[in-house]
DNA sequence: CTTTGTGCAAAGGCTTTGCATGCTT
DNA sequence: AAGCATGCAAAGCCTTTGCACAAAG
């Protein structure tokens, strides 16, 4: 007898933490975020992809960005008007000095702050430390 | 004929910028905010006032807080989950170290960062400098 | 008396979620 | 073949706004 039956083995592995699947949408969102040197809202990403012809559902954009944040591959913060802004977690890291009046922005490197953040976090037993820092003021022109 | 008519004079002055009126609600919200040493969301303020018996409409709380911000008497920022947090503009100033997983929060004083912010801003010709800094990571427990 | 502030409820905007289908593994 | 990912649309949540009434100046 030709045994065509396949022995049923446990196929449902407890998938401890399977990596997210590689889909067109996930790739599109991820690269869009990577190519943006600054923070982008979910809706901006959505529009951006549309313009580039890589249309992705808004819900998917939200879900993907959320996943990235949970995986530590993106940072998130909220804008003044309540929208969530995401940024790819890249090694290069800088901060902004923004003029409250004219909006002029200066990019800053802050190695001291980076070090301080690491040290203080470690002191309190925190790992995988990220941080967000923004300075606001009135620039010389205003 | 007894003229009872009152002469109509221009009563509508262009009220350049009249100070807000002194009302029970405005007072309640303002002191509630002052008594909080840290950031409070509009809804927290609302609940707080209810508990203290100084009930105020939620919309009024929002409006009052907004007014305070515009007048520069309060700072506002957004929490990770999108709620607006308000704080009375006081000299004392601190930062947060938040666990991404359990949400545990440690308050930090950061005199070094404060100094750095002032120095860097001045270097670029900025005045009236303010800043917002938040650290995120995974705490020892998680 | 005029104008501003308040309450309530409805509307608005951003984000999340349910469900059927498509695509990755 | 099995299961996660996607889309669409509906639901959720925080916040703002319209309108009638009350209070302050």
């Amino acid at each position: 007898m030709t045994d065509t039956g396949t022995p049923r083995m446990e196929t449902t592995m407890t998938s401890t933490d399977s990596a997210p699947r590689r889909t067109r949408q996930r790739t599109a969102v991820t690269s869009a975020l990577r190519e943006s040197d600054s923070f982008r809202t979910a809706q901006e990403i959505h529009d951006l992809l549309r313009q580039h012809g890589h249309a992705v559902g808004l819900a998917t954009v939200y879900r993907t960005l959320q996943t990235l944040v949970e995986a530590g591959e993106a940072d998130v913060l909220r804008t003044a008007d309540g929208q969530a802004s995401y940024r790819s977690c890249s090694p290069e890291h800088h901060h902004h000095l923004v003029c409250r009046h004219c909006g002029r922005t200066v990019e800053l490197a802050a190695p001291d702050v980076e070090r301080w953040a690491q040290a203080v976090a470690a002191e309190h037993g925190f790992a995988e430390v990220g941080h967000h820092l923004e300075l606001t003021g009135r620039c010389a022109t205003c």
Side-chain angles (χ1 to χ4, degrees), chain A:
Chain A
M1 44 136 79
T2 48
D3 181 17
T4 55
T6 33
R8 204 109 47 29
M9 45 158 60
E10 285 305 327
T11 51
T12 41
M13 57 166 71
T14 25
S15 71
T16 323
D17 61 322
S18 54
R21 287 185 177 170
R22 209 132 212 73
T23 67
R24 179 182 65 76
Q25 293 86 340
R26 191 172 296 267
T27 305
V29 170
T30 307
S31 18
L33 196 61
R34 286 240 179 78
E35 286 165 21
S36 302
D37 52 342
S38 145
F39 284 87
R40 288 278 126 83
T41 68
Q43 320 231 6
E44 282 173 348
I45 296 279
H46 181 244
D47 292 347
L48 213 57
L49 292 176
R50 274 194 159 269
Q51 292 168 24
H52 282 231
H54 301 275
V56 173
L58 182 55
T60 300
V61 173
Y62 275 107
R63 276 189 284 233
T64 303
L65 291 173
Q66 235 166 213
T67 304
L68 289 175
V69 170
E70 284 164 12
E73 295 178 36
D75 280 337
V76 59
L77 63 83
R78 296 273 174 168
T79 65
D81 66 323
Q83 290 187 235
S85 266
Y86 301 85
R87 186 197 55 184
S88 183
C89 255
S90 50
E92 41 80 22
H93 187 69
H94 64 265
H95 302 290
H96 289 142
L97 169 56
V98 187
C99 176
R100 264 190 286 270
H101 301 268
C102 67
R104 194 161 76 85
T105 299
V106 178
E107 299 200 343
L108 304 170
D112 293 343
V113 173
E114 314 290 327
R115 270 196 301 278
W116 172 84
Q118 291 292 338
V120 157
E123 198 172 295
H124 288 276
F126 279 62
E128 299 170 17
V129 187
H131 63 275
H132 175 62
L133 168 62
E134 189 172 280
L135 305 187
T136 56
R138 186 167 47 78
C139 78
T141 317
C142 295

